[in-house]
Amino acid sequence: MTPILVYARDPGAANQMVAACEILTRDPADPRMAPLRRSFGAGPDWAPAPRIHARGPALDTFARAGFAVTEGAPADAALAQAAAVLTGLDDVDDPVPRALWRAARAARKPCAAICDNDVNLAVRLGDAQGCPDLVFAVSERGRREIESCRLPGLRVELVPDLHLARLARAAPDPEARARQRRRWGVSAEARVWLYAGVVRRELAALRAVEAEDEVDCLRALALALSVTEPASALAVRPHPRDPDGKYESACEAIGTRAVVDRSGTPAEAFAASDVVVSLSEAVRNEARLLGRPAYAPEAALALLSGPR
């Protein structure tokens, strides 16, 4: 068995790592893993053994998928025992992936990362001393951005979104809609708009793009709903790393028909909603895959202000 050190912190990165680890442990010959096999110098009898480390929201993501996980950033001893490193592309405030890539390069061990979206890729990849050997991009747009960085020794492979492919295979839960609506306290007949939060406000100083403020967007959506769909309900699902109380004041326009709630899984929240709104393209893609119309805030406001 080839020990592979795996790390993720953020939910998007963890989703990709879970999907990758399932492929690696169940079918390492899957064609989607061919670039990884080549990068890791694996032969035809490759039998990888992921050793997973995680922090923050990723801990729950791995646990729900049934993987054993060690909490915290990997220590030097974990890297020394590993033959290769595989990480997500966590957000810019997590230094662990870049530290792992640097350490792997210094130890001459292959390292790879899997993107979960196309946001701030250049910033998250770091520099020539701290970038991985191989990056999996999940879109042509992402591949072009990574290649434009021109980081020495960095290779880019375009692969299908592993998380969405895994999600598409999952059996639907027929009770999810009713169960989550009971948690929200909304009726079976209510039209529910789900707003999925992001952590742009907290990381604005570390990012070069993403000027839209998620709280301001929610406030505008709540106000529009109070005017154009007064019978609708608004459910707000904070990002796992959002601070408590972040969104409550923005919901005032819709009053008692708004609920801020972290319970359940993302799939359950999508199942319980009728329309999904988020600044996160990854969230919108996941919602659409699960059969829910999903919009960026600007598009949702245009929809609400259009002909009725």
Side-chain angles (χ1 to χ4, degrees), residues 101-127:
W101 303 334
R102 285 193 295 271
R105 285 203 165 198
R108 299 185 180 278
K109 296 185 177 185
C111 56
I114 302 179
C115 300
D116 59 285
N117 57 46
D118 296 328
V119 178
N120 292 311
L121 298 182
V123 175
R124 289 189 282 162
L125 277 171
D127 53 31

mmCIF file with all atom_site columns, all heavy atoms in Angstrom, residues 101-127:
data_model
loop_
_atom_site.group_PDB
_atom_site.id
_atom_site.type_symbol
_atom_site.label_atom_id
_atom_site.label_alt_id
_atom_site.label_comp_id
_atom_site.label_asym_id
_atom_site.label_entity_id
_atom_site.label_seq_id
_atom_site.pdbx_PDB_ins_code
_atom_site.Cartn_x
_atom_site.Cartn_y
_atom_site.Cartn_z
_atom_site.occupancy
_atom_site.B_iso_or_equiv
_atom_site.pdbx_formal_charge
_atom_site.auth_seq_id
_atom_site.auth_comp_id
_atom_site.auth_asym_id
_atom_site.auth_atom_id
_atom_site.pdbx_PDB_model_num
ATOM 1   N N   . TRP A 1 101 ? 2.929   21.705 0.446   1.00 0.00 ? 101 TRP A N   1
ATOM 2   C CA  . TRP A 1 101 ? 3.539   21.656 -0.882  1.00 0.00 ? 101 TRP A CA  1
ATOM 3   C C   . TRP A 1 101 ? 5.032   21.977 -0.805  1.00 0.00 ? 101 TRP A C   1
ATOM 4   O O   . TRP A 1 101 ? 5.854   21.308 -1.446  1.00 0.00 ? 101 TRP A O   1
ATOM 5   C CB  . TRP A 1 101 ? 2.852   22.635 -1.828  1.00 0.00 ? 101 TRP A CB  1
ATOM 6   C CG  . TRP A 1 101 ? 1.377   22.423 -1.970  1.00 0.00 ? 101 TRP A CG  1
ATOM 7   C CD1 . TRP A 1 101 ? 0.692   21.252 -1.782  1.00 0.00 ? 101 TRP A CD1 1
ATOM 8   C CD2 . TRP A 1 101 ? 0.398   23.411 -2.307  1.00 0.00 ? 101 TRP A CD2 1
ATOM 9   N NE1 . TRP A 1 101 ? -0.652  21.457 -1.980  1.00 0.00 ? 101 TRP A NE1 1
ATOM 10  C CE2 . TRP A 1 101 ? -0.867  22.752 -2.315  1.00 0.00 ? 101 TRP A CE2 1
ATOM 11  C CE3 . TRP A 1 101 ? 0.456   24.772 -2.612  1.00 0.00 ? 101 TRP A CE3 1
ATOM 12  C CZ2 . TRP A 1 101 ? -2.040  23.440 -2.606  1.00 0.00 ? 101 TRP A CZ2 1
ATOM 13  C CZ3 . TRP A 1 101 ? -0.708  25.442 -2.911  1.00 0.00 ? 101 TRP A CZ3 1
ATOM 14  C CH2 . TRP A 1 101 ? -1.947  24.783 -2.906  1.00 0.00 ? 101 TRP A CH2 1
ATOM 15  N N   . ARG A 1 102 ? 5.379   22.995 -0.028  1.00 0.00 ? 102 ARG A N   1
ATOM 16  C CA  . ARG A 1 102 ? 6.804   23.351 0.113   1.00 0.00 ? 102 ARG A CA  1
ATOM 17  C C   . ARG A 1 102 ? 7.588   22.207 0.735   1.00 0.00 ? 102 ARG A C   1
ATOM 18  O O   . ARG A 1 102 ? 8.691   21.871 0.287   1.00 0.00 ? 102 ARG A O   1
ATOM 19  C CB  . ARG A 1 102 ? 6.950   24.620 0.961   1.00 0.00 ? 102 ARG A CB  1
ATOM 20  C CG  . ARG A 1 102 ? 6.579   25.907 0.238   1.00 0.00 ? 102 ARG A CG  1
ATOM 21  C CD  . ARG A 1 102 ? 7.052   27.121 1.014   1.00 0.00 ? 102 ARG A CD  1
ATOM 22  N NE  . ARG A 1 102 ? 6.369   27.232 2.302   1.00 0.00 ? 102 ARG A NE  1
ATOM 23  C CZ  . ARG A 1 102 ? 5.228   27.888 2.490   1.00 0.00 ? 102 ARG A CZ  1
ATOM 24  N NH1 . ARG A 1 102 ? 4.620   28.479 1.469   1.00 0.00 ? 102 ARG A NH1 1
ATOM 25  N NH2 . ARG A 1 102 ? 4.683   27.955 3.683   1.00 0.00 ? 102 ARG A NH2 1
ATOM 26  N N   . ALA A 1 103 ? 7.017   21.621 1.797   1.00 0.00 ? 103 ALA A N   1
ATOM 27  C CA  . ALA A 1 103 ? 7.716   20.525 2.473   1.00 0.00 ? 103 ALA A CA  1
ATOM 28  C C   . ALA A 1 103 ? 7.860   19.320 1.558   1.00 0.00 ? 103 ALA A C   1
ATOM 29  O O   . ALA A 1 103 ? 8.905   18.652 1.550   1.00 0.00 ? 103 ALA A O   1
ATOM 30  C CB  . ALA A 1 103 ? 6.960   20.143 3.740   1.00 0.00 ? 103 ALA A CB  1
ATOM 31  N N   . ALA A 1 104 ? 6.829   19.026 0.783   1.00 0.00 ? 104 ALA A N   1
ATOM 32  C CA  . ALA A 1 104 ? 6.903   17.890 -0.135  1.00 0.00 ? 104 ALA A CA  1
ATOM 33  C C   . ALA A 1 104 ? 7.960   18.125 -1.193  1.00 0.00 ? 104 ALA A C   1
ATOM 34  O O   . ALA A 1 104 ? 8.736   17.213 -1.540  1.00 0.00 ? 104 ALA A O   1
ATOM 35  C CB  . ALA A 1 104 ? 5.538   17.659 -0.774  1.00 0.00 ? 104 ALA A CB  1
ATOM 36  N N   . ARG A 1 105 ? 7.994   19.340 -1.727  1.00 0.00 ? 105 ARG A N   1
ATOM 37  C CA  . ARG A 1 105 ? 9.014   19.638 -2.740  1.00 0.00 ? 105 ARG A CA  1
ATOM 38  C C   . ARG A 1 105 ? 10.422  19.532 -2.152  1.00 0.00 ? 105 ARG A C   1
ATOM 39  O O   . ARG A 1 105 ? 11.330  19.007 -2.791  1.00 0.00 ? 105 ARG A O   1
ATOM 40  C CB  . ARG A 1 105 ? 8.779   21.037 -3.317  1.00 0.00 ? 105 ARG A CB  1
ATOM 41  C CG  . ARG A 1 105 ? 7.607   21.092 -4.291  1.00 0.00 ? 105 ARG A CG  1
ATOM 42  C CD  . ARG A 1 105 ? 7.728   22.249 -5.239  1.00 0.00 ? 105 ARG A CD  1
ATOM 43  N NE  . ARG A 1 105 ? 6.828   22.117 -6.372  1.00 0.00 ? 105 ARG A NE  1
ATOM 44  C CZ  . ARG A 1 105 ? 6.954   22.792 -7.500  1.00 0.00 ? 105 ARG A CZ  1
ATOM 45  N NH1 . ARG A 1 105 ? 7.963   23.631 -7.655  1.00 0.00 ? 105 ARG A NH1 1
ATOM 46  N NH2 . ARG A 1 105 ? 6.101   22.628 -8.491  1.00 0.00 ? 105 ARG A NH2 1
ATOM 47  N N   . ALA A 1 106 ? 10.576  20.034 -0.928  1.00 0.00 ? 106 ALA A N   1
ATOM 48  C CA  . ALA A 1 106 ? 11.894  19.954 -0.289  1.00 0.00 ? 106 ALA A CA  1
ATOM 49  C C   . ALA A 1 106 ? 12.306  18.510 -0.059  1.00 0.00 ? 106 ALA A C   1
ATOM 50  O O   . ALA A 1 106 ? 13.493  18.167 -0.139  1.00 0.00 ? 106 ALA A O   1
ATOM 51  C CB  . ALA A 1 106 ? 11.879  20.711 1.036   1.00 0.00 ? 106 ALA A CB  1
ATOM 52  N N   . ALA A 1 107 ? 11.335  17.648 0.221   1.00 0.00 ? 107 ALA A N   1
ATOM 53  C CA  . ALA A 1 107 ? 11.619  16.234 0.458   1.00 0.00 ? 107 ALA A CA  1
ATOM 54  C C   . ALA A 1 107 ? 11.598  15.419 -0.826  1.00 0.00 ? 107 ALA A C   1
ATOM 55  O O   . ALA A 1 107 ? 11.744  14.194 -0.775  1.00 0.00 ? 107 ALA A O   1
ATOM 56  C CB  . ALA A 1 107 ? 10.602  15.666 1.449   1.00 0.00 ? 107 ALA A CB  1
ATOM 57  N N   . ARG A 1 108 ? 11.389  16.096 -1.964  1.00 0.00 ? 108 ARG A N   1
ATOM 58  C CA  . ARG A 1 108 ? 11.324  15.442 -3.273  1.00 0.00 ? 108 ARG A CA  1
ATOM 59  C C   . ARG A 1 108 ? 10.224  14.377 -3.318  1.00 0.00 ? 108 ARG A C   1
ATOM 60  O O   . ARG A 1 108 ? 10.395  13.292 -3.877  1.00 0.00 ? 108 ARG A O   1
ATOM 61  C CB  . ARG A 1 108 ? 12.684  14.851 -3.662  1.00 0.00 ? 108 ARG A CB  1
ATOM 62  C CG  . ARG A 1 108 ? 13.794  15.882 -3.780  1.00 0.00 ? 108 ARG A CG  1
ATOM 63  C CD  . ARG A 1 108 ? 15.089  15.273 -4.273  1.00 0.00 ? 108 ARG A CD  1
ATOM 64  N NE  . ARG A 1 108 ? 16.144  16.263 -4.376  1.00 0.00 ? 108 ARG A NE  1
ATOM 65  C CZ  . ARG A 1 108 ? 16.311  17.098 -5.416  1.00 0.00 ? 108 ARG A CZ  1
ATOM 66  N NH1 . ARG A 1 108 ? 15.475  17.029 -6.444  1.00 0.00 ? 108 ARG A NH1 1
ATOM 67  N NH2 . ARG A 1 108 ? 17.299  17.976 -5.428  1.00 0.00 ? 108 ARG A NH2 1
ATOM 68  N N   . LYS A 1 109 ? 9.091   14.727 -2.726  1.00 0.00 ? 109 LYS A N   1
ATOM 69  C CA  . LYS A 1 109 ? 7.930   13.848 -2.771  1.00 0.00 ? 109 LYS A CA  1
ATOM 70  C C   . LYS A 1 109 ? 6.860   14.505 -3.638  1.00 0.00 ? 109 LYS A C   1
ATOM 71  O O   . LYS A 1 109 ? 6.632   15.716 -3.538  1.00 0.00 ? 109 LYS A O   1
ATOM 72  C CB  . LYS A 1 109 ? 7.375   13.601 -1.363  1.00 0.00 ? 109 LYS A CB  1
ATOM 73  C CG  . LYS A 1 109 ? 8.353   12.854 -0.471  1.00 0.00 ? 109 LYS A CG  1
ATOM 74  C CD  . LYS A 1 109 ? 7.736   12.515 0.863   1.00 0.00 ? 109 LYS A CD  1
ATOM 75  C CE  . LYS A 1 109 ? 8.732   11.704 1.708   1.00 0.00 ? 109 LYS A CE  1
ATOM 76  N NZ  . LYS A 1 109 ? 8.132   11.238 2.980   1.00 0.00 ? 109 LYS A NZ  1
ATOM 77  N N   . PRO A 1 110 ? 6.210   13.760 -4.515  1.00 0.00 ? 110 PRO A N   1
ATOM 78  C CA  . PRO A 1 110 ? 5.201   14.356 -5.399  1.00 0.00 ? 110 PRO A CA  1
ATOM 79  C C   . PRO A 1 110 ? 4.017   14.895 -4.600  1.00 0.00 ? 110 PRO A C   1
ATOM 80  O O   . PRO A 1 110 ? 3.620   14.320 -3.577  1.00 0.00 ? 110 PRO A O   1
ATOM 81  C CB  . PRO A 1 110 ? 4.787   13.197 -6.298  1.00 0.00 ? 110 PRO A CB  1
ATOM 82  C CG  . PRO A 1 110 ? 5.148   11.972 -5.545  1.00 0.00 ? 110 PRO A CG  1
ATOM 83  C CD  . PRO A 1 110 ? 6.363   12.313 -4.741  1.00 0.00 ? 110 PRO A CD  1
ATOM 84  N N   . CYS A 1 111 ? 3.474   16.016 -5.067  1.00 0.00 ? 111 CYS A N   1
ATOM 85  C CA  . CYS A 1 111 ? 2.324   16.607 -4.387  1.00 0.00 ? 111 CYS A CA  1
ATOM 86  C C   . CYS A 1 111 ? 1.341   17.124 -5.433  1.00 0.00 ? 111 CYS A C   1
ATOM 87  O O   . CYS A 1 111 ? 1.740   17.608 -6.495  1.00 0.00 ? 111 CYS A O   1
ATOM 88  C CB  . CYS A 1 111 ? 2.738   17.721 -3.436  1.00 0.00 ? 111 CYS A CB  1
ATOM 89  S SG  . CYS A 1 111 ? 3.701   19.054 -4.178  1.00 0.00 ? 111 CYS A SG  1
ATOM 90  N N   . ALA A 1 112 ? 0.058   16.992 -5.137  1.00 0.00 ? 112 ALA A N   1
ATOM 91  C CA  . ALA A 1 112 ? -0.994  17.414 -6.055  1.00 0.00 ? 112 ALA A CA  1
ATOM 92  C C   . ALA A 1 112 ? -2.108  18.074 -5.270  1.00 0.00 ? 112 ALA A C   1
ATOM 93  O O   . ALA A 1 112 ? -2.274  17.835 -4.067  1.00 0.00 ? 112 ALA A O   1
ATOM 94  C CB  . ALA A 1 112 ? -1.536  16.218 -6.840  1.00 0.00 ? 112 ALA A CB  1
ATOM 95  N N   . ALA A 1 113 ? -2.886  18.907 -5.961  1.00 0.00 ? 113 ALA A N   1
ATOM 96  C CA  . ALA A 1 113 ? -4.032  19.585 -5.352  1.00 0.00 ? 113 ALA A CA  1
ATOM 97  C C   . ALA A 1 113 ? -5.206  19.534 -6.306  1.00 0.00 ? 113 ALA A C   1
ATOM 98  O O   . ALA A 1 113 ? -5.026  19.519 -7.530  1.00 0.00 ? 113 ALA A O   1
ATOM 99  C CB  . ALA A 1 113 ? -3.689  21.033 -5.008  1.00 0.00 ? 113 ALA A CB  1
ATOM 100 N N   . ILE A 1 114 ? -6.410  19.518 -5.757  1.00 0.00 ? 114 ILE A N   1
ATOM 101 C CA  . ILE A 1 114 ? -7.633  19.487 -6.552  1.00 0.00 ? 114 ILE A CA  1
ATOM 102 C C   . ILE A 1 114 ? -8.430  20.750 -6.273  1.00 0.00 ? 114 ILE A C   1
ATOM 103 O O   . ILE A 1 114 ? -8.743  21.055 -5.125  1.00 0.00 ? 114 ILE A O   1
ATOM 104 C CB  . ILE A 1 114 ? -8.486  18.248 -6.239  1.00 0.00 ? 114 ILE A CB  1
ATOM 105 C CG1 . ILE A 1 114 ? -7.679  16.966 -6.482  1.00 0.00 ? 114 ILE A CG1 1
ATOM 106 C CG2 . ILE A 1 114 ? -9.751  18.243 -7.081  1.00 0.00 ? 114 ILE A CG2 1
ATOM 107 C CD1 . ILE A 1 114 ? -8.447  15.696 -6.181  1.00 0.00 ? 114 ILE A CD1 1
ATOM 108 N N   . CYS A 1 115 ? -8.764  21.494 -7.321  1.00 0.00 ? 115 CYS A N   1
ATOM 109 C CA  . CYS A 1 115 ? -9.591  22.690 -7.175  1.00 0.00 ? 115 CYS A CA  1
ATOM 110 C C   . CYS A 1 115 ? -11.034 22.278 -6.914  1.00 0.00 ? 115 CYS A C   1
ATOM 111 O O   . CYS A 1 115 ? -11.494 21.247 -7.383  1.00 0.00 ? 115 CYS A O   1
ATOM 112 C CB  . CYS A 1 115 ? -9.555  23.540 -8.444  1.00 0.00 ? 115 CYS A CB  1
ATOM 113 S SG  . CYS A 1 115 ? -7.919  24.132 -8.906  1.00 0.00 ? 115 CYS A SG  1
ATOM 114 N N   . ASP A 1 116 ? -11.758 23.132 -6.194  1.00 0.00 ? 116 ASP A N   1
ATOM 115 C CA  . ASP A 1 116 ? -13.191 22.911 -6.023  1.00 0.00 ? 116 ASP A CA  1
ATOM 116 C C   . ASP A 1 116 ? -14.013 24.011 -6.678  1.00 0.00 ? 116 ASP A C   1
ATOM 117 O O   . ASP A 1 116 ? -15.229 23.909 -6.769  1.00 0.00 ? 116 ASP A O   1
ATOM 118 C CB  . ASP A 1 116 ? -13.556 22.813 -4.537  1.00 0.00 ? 116 ASP A CB  1
ATOM 119 C CG  . ASP A 1 116 ? -13.186 24.073 -3.774  1.00 0.00 ? 116 ASP A CG  1
ATOM 120 O OD1 . ASP A 1 116 ? -11.989 24.270 -3.507  1.00 0.00 ? 116 ASP A OD1 1
ATOM 121 O OD2 . ASP A 1 116 ? -14.093 24.849 -3.446  1.00 0.00 ? 116 ASP A OD2 1
ATOM 122 N N   . ASN A 1 117 ? -13.352 25.082 -7.143  1.00 0.00 ? 117 ASN A N   1
ATOM 123 C CA  . ASN A 1 117 ? -14.039 26.164 -7.852  1.00 0.00 ? 117 ASN A CA  1
ATOM 124 C C   . ASN A 1 117 ? -12.995 26.956 -8.636  1.00 0.00 ? 117 ASN A C   1
ATOM 125 O O   . ASN A 1 117 ? -11.833 26.544 -8.725  1.00 0.00 ? 117 ASN A O   1
ATOM 126 C CB  . ASN A 1 117 ? -14.826 27.058 -6.883  1.00 0.00 ? 117 ASN A CB  1
ATOM 127 C CG  . ASN A 1 117 ? -13.933 27.652 -5.798  1.00 0.00 ? 117 ASN A CG  1
ATOM 128 O OD1 . ASN A 1 117 ? -12.841 28.155 -6.061  1.00 0.00 ? 117 ASN A OD1 1
ATOM 129 N ND2 . ASN A 1 117 ? -14.401 27.595 -4.562  1.00 0.00 ? 117 ASN A ND2 1
ATOM 130 N N   . ASP A 1 118 ? -13.410 28.097 -9.182  1.00 0.00 ? 118 ASP A N   1
ATOM 131 C CA  . ASP A 1 118 ? -12.507 28.902 -10.006 1.00 0.00 ? 118 ASP A CA  1
ATOM 132 C C   . ASP A 1 118 ? -12.200 30.257 -9.372  1.00 0.00 ? 118 ASP A C   1
ATOM 133 O O   . ASP A 1 118 ? -11.854 31.210 -10.064 1.00 0.00 ? 118 ASP A O   1
ATOM 134 C CB  . ASP A 1 118 ? -13.135 29.148 -11.390 1.00 0.00 ? 118 ASP A CB  1
ATOM 135 C CG  . ASP A 1 118 ? -13.325 27.860 -12.164 1.00 0.00 ? 118 ASP A CG  1
ATOM 136 O OD1 . ASP A 1 118 ? -12.510 26.946 -11.980 1.00 0.00 ? 118 ASP A OD1 1
ATOM 137 O OD2 . ASP A 1 118 ? -14.306 27.771 -12.918 1.00 0.00 ? 118 ASP A OD2 1
ATOM 138 N N   . VAL A 1 119 ? -12.329 30.378 -8.060  1.00 0.00 ? 119 VAL A N   1
ATOM 139 C CA  . VAL A 1 119 ? -12.196 31.661 -7.373  1.00 0.00 ? 119 VAL A CA  1
ATOM 140 C C   . VAL A 1 119 ? -10.793 31.803 -6.784  1.00 0.00 ? 119 VAL A C   1
ATOM 141 O O   . VAL A 1 119 ? -10.347 30.942 -6.025  1.00 0.00 ? 119 VAL A O   1
ATOM 142 C CB  . VAL A 1 119 ? -13.255 31.797 -6.260  1.00 0.00 ? 119 VAL A CB  1
ATOM 143 C CG1 . VAL A 1 119 ? -13.082 33.116 -5.518  1.00 0.00 ? 119 VAL A CG1 1
ATOM 144 C CG2 . VAL A 1 119 ? -14.649 31.704 -6.845  1.00 0.00 ? 119 VAL A CG2 1
ATOM 145 N N   . ASN A 1 120 ? -10.116 32.883 -7.142  1.00 0.00 ? 120 ASN A N   1
ATOM 146 C CA  . ASN A 1 120 ? -8.817  33.199 -6.538  1.00 0.00 ? 120 ASN A CA  1
ATOM 147 C C   . ASN A 1 120 ? -7.793  32.072 -6.658  1.00 0.00 ? 120 ASN A C   1
ATOM 148 O O   . ASN A 1 120 ? -7.012  31.822 -5.735  1.00 0.00 ? 120 ASN A O   1
ATOM 149 C CB  . ASN A 1 120 ? -8.973  33.560 -5.053  1.00 0.00 ? 120 ASN A CB  1
ATOM 150 C CG  . ASN A 1 120 ? -9.690  34.861 -4.843  1.00 0.00 ? 120 ASN A CG  1
ATOM 151 O OD1 . ASN A 1 120 ? -9.362  35.871 -5.456  1.00 0.00 ? 120 ASN A OD1 1
ATOM 152 N ND2 . ASN A 1 120 ? -10.697 34.854 -3.993  1.00 0.00 ? 120 ASN A ND2 1
ATOM 153 N N   . LEU A 1 121 ? -7.777  31.402 -7.766  1.00 0.00 ? 121 LEU A N   1
ATOM 154 C CA  . LEU A 1 121 ? -6.862  30.273 -7.909  1.00 0.00 ? 121 LEU A CA  1
ATOM 155 C C   . LEU A 1 121 ? -5.407  30.713 -7.829  1.00 0.00 ? 121 LEU A C   1
ATOM 156 O O   . LEU A 1 121 ? -4.591  30.062 -7.171  1.00 0.00 ? 121 LEU A O   1
ATOM 157 C CB  . LEU A 1 121 ? -7.129  29.546 -9.233  1.00 0.00 ? 121 LEU A CB  1
ATOM 158 C CG  . LEU A 1 121 ? -8.514  28.917 -9.402  1.00 0.00 ? 121 LEU A CG  1
ATOM 159 C CD1 . LEU A 1 121 ? -8.603  28.196 -10.738 1.00 0.00 ? 121 LEU A CD1 1
ATOM 160 C CD2 . LEU A 1 121 ? -8.825  27.969 -8.258  1.00 0.00 ? 121 LEU A CD2 1
ATOM 161 N N   . ALA A 1 122 ? -5.072  31.807 -8.504  1.00 0.00 ? 122 ALA A N   1
ATOM 162 C CA  . ALA A 1 122 ? -3.681  32.260 -8.503  1.00 0.00 ? 122 ALA A CA  1
ATOM 163 C C   . ALA A 1 122 ? -3.209  32.605 -7.096  1.00 0.00 ? 122 ALA A C   1
ATOM 164 O O   . ALA A 1 122 ? -2.085  32.278 -6.701  1.00 0.00 ? 122 ALA A O   1
ATOM 165 C CB  . ALA A 1 122 ? -3.532  33.473 -9.429  1.00 0.00 ? 122 ALA A CB  1
ATOM 166 N N   . VAL A 1 123 ? -4.077  33.256 -6.320  1.00 0.00 ? 123 VAL A N   1
ATOM 167 C CA  . VAL A 1 123 ? -3.709  33.630 -4.951  1.00 0.00 ? 123 VAL A CA  1
ATOM 168 C C   . VAL A 1 123 ? -3.541  32.390 -4.096  1.00 0.00 ? 123 VAL A C   1
ATOM 169 O O   . VAL A 1 123 ? -2.604  32.268 -3.302  1.00 0.00 ? 123 VAL A O   1
ATOM 170 C CB  . VAL A 1 123 ? -4.783  34.561 -4.353  1.00 0.00 ? 123 VAL A CB  1
ATOM 171 C CG1 . VAL A 1 123 ? -4.474  34.867 -2.891  1.00 0.00 ? 123 VAL A CG1 1
ATOM 172 C CG2 . VAL A 1 123 ? -4.879  35.846 -5.155  1.00 0.00 ? 123 VAL A CG2 1
ATOM 173 N N   . ARG A 1 124 ? -4.441  31.439 -4.249  1.00 0.00 ? 124 ARG A N   1
ATOM 174 C CA  . ARG A 1 124 ? -4.395  30.242 -3.411  1.00 0.00 ? 124 ARG A CA  1
ATOM 175 C C   . ARG A 1 124 ? -3.239  29.314 -3.761  1.00 0.00 ? 124 ARG A C   1
ATOM 176 O O   . ARG A 1 124 ? -2.790  28.525 -2.916  1.00 0.00 ? 124 ARG A O   1
ATOM 177 C CB  . ARG A 1 124 ? -5.721  29.487 -3.513  1.00 0.00 ? 124 ARG A CB  1
ATOM 178 C CG  . ARG A 1 124 ? -6.873  30.208 -2.820  1.00 0.00 ? 124 ARG A CG  1
ATOM 179 C CD  . ARG A 1 124 ? -8.105  29.345 -2.739  1.00 0.00 ? 124 ARG A CD  1
ATOM 180 N NE  . ARG A 1 124 ? -8.821  29.299 -4.001  1.00 0.00 ? 124 ARG A NE  1
ATOM 181 C CZ  . ARG A 1 124 ? -9.724  28.355 -4.307  1.00 0.00 ? 124 ARG A CZ  1
ATOM 182 N NH1 . ARG A 1 124 ? -9.969  27.380 -3.458  1.00 0.00 ? 124 ARG A NH1 1
ATOM 183 N NH2 . ARG A 1 124 ? -10.363 28.379 -5.455  1.00 0.00 ? 124 ARG A NH2 1
ATOM 184 N N   . LEU A 1 125 ? -2.738  29.407 -4.989  1.00 0.00 ? 125 LEU A N   1
ATOM 185 C CA  . LEU A 1 125 ? -1.656  28.511 -5.391  1.00 0.00 ? 125 LEU A CA  1
ATOM 186 C C   . LEU A 1 125 ? -0.294  28.927 -4.852  1.00 0.00 ? 125 LEU A C   1
ATOM 187 O O   . LEU A 1 125 ? 0.640   28.139 -4.853  1.00 0.00 ? 125 LEU A O   1
ATOM 188 C CB  . LEU A 1 125 ? -1.599  28.421 -6.916  1.00 0.00 ? 125 LEU A CB  1
ATOM 189 C CG  . LEU A 1 125 ? -2.564  27.429 -7.549  1.00 0.00 ? 125 LEU A CG  1
ATOM 190 C CD1 . LEU A 1 125 ? -2.569  27.583 -9.053  1.00 0.00 ? 125 LEU A CD1 1
ATOM 191 C CD2 . LEU A 1 125 ? -2.214  26.005 -7.148  1.00 0.00 ? 125 LEU A CD2 1
ATOM 192 N N   . GLY A 1 126 ? -0.160  30.158 -4.426  1.00 0.00 ? 126 GLY A N   1
ATOM 193 C CA  . GLY A 1 126 ? 1.116   30.576 -3.871  1.00 0.00 ? 126 GLY A CA  1
ATOM 194 C C   . GLY A 1 126 ? 2.142   30.905 -4.938  1.00 0.00 ? 126 GLY A C   1
ATOM 195 O O   . GLY A 1 126 ? 1.819   31.430 -5.997  1.00 0.00 ? 126 GLY A O   1
ATOM 196 N N   . ASP A 1 127 ? 3.396   30.574 -4.674  1.00 0.00 ? 127 ASP A N   1
ATOM 197 C CA  . ASP A 1 127 ? 4.477   30.951 -5.578  1.00 0.00 ? 127 ASP A CA  1
ATOM 198 C C   . ASP A 1 127 ? 5.247   29.721 -6.040  1.00 0.00 ? 127 ASP A C   1
ATOM 199 O O   . ASP A 1 127 ? 4.874   28.589 -5.745  1.00 0.00 ? 127 ASP A O   1
ATOM 200 C CB  . ASP A 1 127 ? 5.426   31.946 -4.897  1.00 0.00 ? 127 ASP A CB  1
ATOM 201 C CG  . ASP A 1 127 ? 5.931   31.433 -3.553  1.00 0.00 ? 127 ASP A CG  1
ATOM 202 O OD1 . ASP A 1 127 ? 6.070   30.205 -3.400  1.00 0.00 ? 127 ASP A OD1 1
ATOM 203 O OD2 . ASP A 1 127 ? 6.173   32.253 -2.659  1.00 0.00 ? 127 ASP A OD2 1
#
